[in-house]
Amino acid sequence: MIRVAFAAVFALLALPAQAIEIQEVISPGGIEAWLVEDESIPFVALDIQFRGGASLDAEGKRGAVNLMTGLLEEGAAKRNATEFAQAVADLGARLSFDAGDDTVSVGFQSLSENRDEAADLLAEALTQPRFDDDAIERVRAQVQAIIRSEATDPNSIAAKEMAAQAWGDHPYATSVNGTRESVAKLGRQDLVAAKNRVLARDRVVVGAAGDISAEELGLLLDRILGGLPETGTAPLPEDADLQLSGGTTVIDWNSPQTVVAFAGPGLPIDDPDYFAAYVANHILGGGGFSSRLMEEIREKRGLTYGIGTGLATGLYGQTWQGGMAGSNQTTAEAVELIRQEWAKMSEGVTQQELADAKTYLTGEYPLRFDGNGRIASILAGMQLIGLPIDYIDTRNAQVEAVTVEDVTRVAERLLDPEQLRFVLVGQPEGIEPTTADATTN
């Protein structure tokens, strides 16, 4: 599956309007954040996102941002990796760092009484990472192990092939982990350069929740982020040009079952048809056992244990995608059924299907509102993908406003089976690749 991170973020953004009040905060140093204040527990959570993420890797240095991010907790300032980890543990705090296609994500959680000391540790990690030789080699080995594992995982193989076909020369086309060769060549100076490309105040968004006032948060933001440069040394990525064409790629893999990935054009969250597509996706393949694909392919015919679809809404490119796995003998039948259901969506949905989808999509969200860490992540995600601060007040109404005609329109626009690309990893019977892109492993 490709570009799923922001579809997942969007799926969390539907809390009852009465549940939270979002405050806009600007620190004395000019850093902006959104805050939900909650004094019921002496605990605060921050979610800090730096736009661009691993898509800002320098040419020929794929994997540098990912490796750099993995080293941020491996020692900073005067503390080596062991000393830094012990200092965080002594405060009962939690720091996390992750690199994705669109962002470098930083999580911060601390008891209120220790938040300033924990913030100082995070500031050191972001502004004074050590990048010690032993830590570099340790984390490099971990990344190389992941790369080796992905090379033998049919799901990863399918995802990488789909990404390569979808995104051409854009960083989206390759793994954030890099390759064995690119990662092996990375040195300390490459990691310093990667840090300077990504970690800057001009590309940061912050969500905060918990036992902290707006004034206190402003001071905390400057304490953590004030030492970063104002601007990064690399421009943010350009939008990706989706290059998928219809057809089938078969990657020969010795297995009794075939992994099936499929994708076609998607749309950004600010598109006027987004909510219609969101509802349509639930009906088509995003609604679990209530979806059409699950009904036709699993329930009626038993061709798979599970199949699903999703709107993959990356910051710089979007697809409408899905996946399943089934036996080599029945994959051809399943692929044909997917194409048929893809086409049938433009014939319309029933009022009952629409009503059921709306009931689910508007009713299940409060269950996701389950803690300060989650709230902070939601607030950062809202800012990152450009949702307004009153989104929580209007979201369910936008779902409810979707009509049968809206679903038909967006299906006609995007769900063309002739534009649907399949990548099959296995030895499916009765299927020949329709392009020269087939790969043998």
Side-chain angles (χ1 to χ4, degrees):
M1 305 289 278
I2 50 178
R3 294 324 114 207
V4 297
F6 289 95
V9 169
F10 189 84
L12 301 177
L13 306 179
L15 313 180
Q18 68 272 19
I20 62 173
E21 177 184 350
I22 303 173
Q23 303 177 61
E24 293 185 85
V25 176
I26 301 178
S27 77
I31 300 168
E32 299 182 13
W34 287 3
L35 166 66
V36 171
E37 190 173 350
D38 179 5
E39 300 177 351
S40 62
I41 301 175
F43 170 82
V44 64
L46 304 182
D47 190 273
I48 302 168
Q49 304 275 342
F50 293 91
R51 295 177 187 271
S55 292
L56 293 178
D57 275 329
E59 185 175 355
K61 305 292 184 181
R62 191 57 166 154
V65 169
N66 179 65
L67 183 59
M68 177 276 296
T69 304
L71 284 156
L72 292 178
E73 59 185 336
E74 296 291 332
K78 297 179 180 180
R79 299 178 177 87
N80 62 26
T82 301
E83 293 165 343
F84 187 84
Q86 187 62 54
V88 174
D90 288 345
L91 293 172
R94 180 180 179 185
L95 307 181
S96 61
F97 306 89
D98 185 59
D101 285 305
D102 291 322
T103 68
V104 166
S105 305
V106 179
F108 171 91
Q109 297 182 7
S110 174
L111 295 172
S112 299
E113 62 183 293
N114 296 332
R115 71 183 179 214
D116 287 347
E117 292 89 343
D120 289 341
L121 291 174
L122 179 54
E124 290 179 353
L126 295 175
T127 61
Q128 303 177 63
R130 289 168 64 104
F131 300 139
D132 291 331
D133 289 343
D134 61 336
I136 292 174
E137 294 310 316
R138 181 172 59 254
V139 178
R140 190 201 312 272
Q142 294 168 0
V143 174
Q144 293 284 31
I146 292 170
I147 293 171
R148 290 193 299 271
S149 176
E150 289 179 342
T152 60
D153 174 27
N155 288 288
S156 295
I157 292 168
K160 287 183 178 182
E161 177 65 22
M162 185 70 80
Q165 293 194 34
W167 303 116
D169 294 332
H170 194 274
Y172 276 4
T174 57
S175 170
V176 299
N177 295 320
T179 65
R180 286 177 292 180
E181 295 76 17
S182 67
V183 172
K185 295 177 182 178
L186 295 173
R188 187 179 189 281
Q189 290 306 311
D190 298 317
L191 303 178
V192 172
K195 172 190 173 303
N196 292 335
R197 294 173 73 85
V198 180
L199 302 186
R201 298 198 305 274
D202 68 327
R203 53 202 55 184
V204 69
V205 298
V206 182
D211 180 28
I212 190 169
S213 68
E215 181 179 1
E216 291 168 335
L217 176 60
L219 297 175
L220 194 71
L221 293 174
D222 287 346
R223 192 165 190 148
I224 295 171
L225 302 170
L228 290 173
E230 177 61 32
T231 59
T233 59
L236 291 174
E238 299 290 333
D239 286 344
D241 180 20
L242 184 65
Q243 299 179 25
L244 281 181
S245 59
T248 304
T249 297
V250 179
I251 299 177
D252 183 76
W253 193 260
N254 186 14
S255 171
Q257 71 172 11
T258 297
V259 167
V260 179
F262 50 96
L267 74 177
I269 287 173
D270 60 359
D271 189 287
D273 275 337
Y274 186 83
F275 278 96
Y278 192 54
V279 174
N281 177 70
H282 184 87
I283 296 169
L284 173 62
F289 283 94
S290 67
S291 71
R292 289 183 173 187
L293 285 172
M294 189 73 88
E295 174 68 18
E296 292 297 324
I297 296 176
R298 172 180 165 144
E299 294 302 296
K300 288 185 178 180
R301 297 172 176 86
L303 303 182
T304 183
Y305 284 112
I307 182 170
T309 62
L311 296 170
T313 48
L315 290 182
Y316 308 108
Q318 304 81 34
T319 59
W320 199 331
Q321 63 184 32
M324 59 157 280
S327 73
N328 291 330
Q329 292 77 19
T330 61
T331 293
E333 181 183 0
V335 167
E336 181 56 31
L337 287 166
I338 292 169
R339 286 199 179 99
Q340 291 176 15
E341 292 303 318
W342 213 256
K344 282 175 61 177
M345 287 296 295
S346 62
E347 299 173 9
V349 299
T350 68
Q351 287 289 351
Q352 188 62 55
E353 286 178 311
L354 183 66
D356 289 346
K358 290 180 180 180
T359 296
Y360 180 85
L361 293 172
T362 58
E364 61 93 24
Y365 284 107
L367 301 177
R368 302 178 184 267
F369 186 42
D370 61 355
N372 289 335
R374 180 64 62 88
I375 297 169
S377 177
I378 290 168
L379 298 184
M382 287 172 65
Q383 296 169 79
L384 195 67
I385 56 183
L387 295 174
I389 199 168
D390 67 347
Y391 168 80
I392 293 169
D393 297 322
T394 64
R395 182 266 180 195
N396 277 0
Q398 294 183 75
V399 172
E400 291 287 6
V402 173
T403 66
V404 168
E405 291 74 21
D406 294 332
V407 171
T408 301
R409 181 183 65 254
V410 77
E412 290 175 343
R413 172 185 168 189
L414 296 174
L415 296 179
D416 179 357
E418 298 302 315
Q419 292 185 294
L420 191 60
R421 165 59 59 174
F422 286 85
V423 173
L424 312 180
V425 181
Q427 296 178 332
E429 297 180 6
I431 293 181
E432 295 294 332
T434 56
T435 73
D437 294 328
T439 304
T440 300
N441 285 294

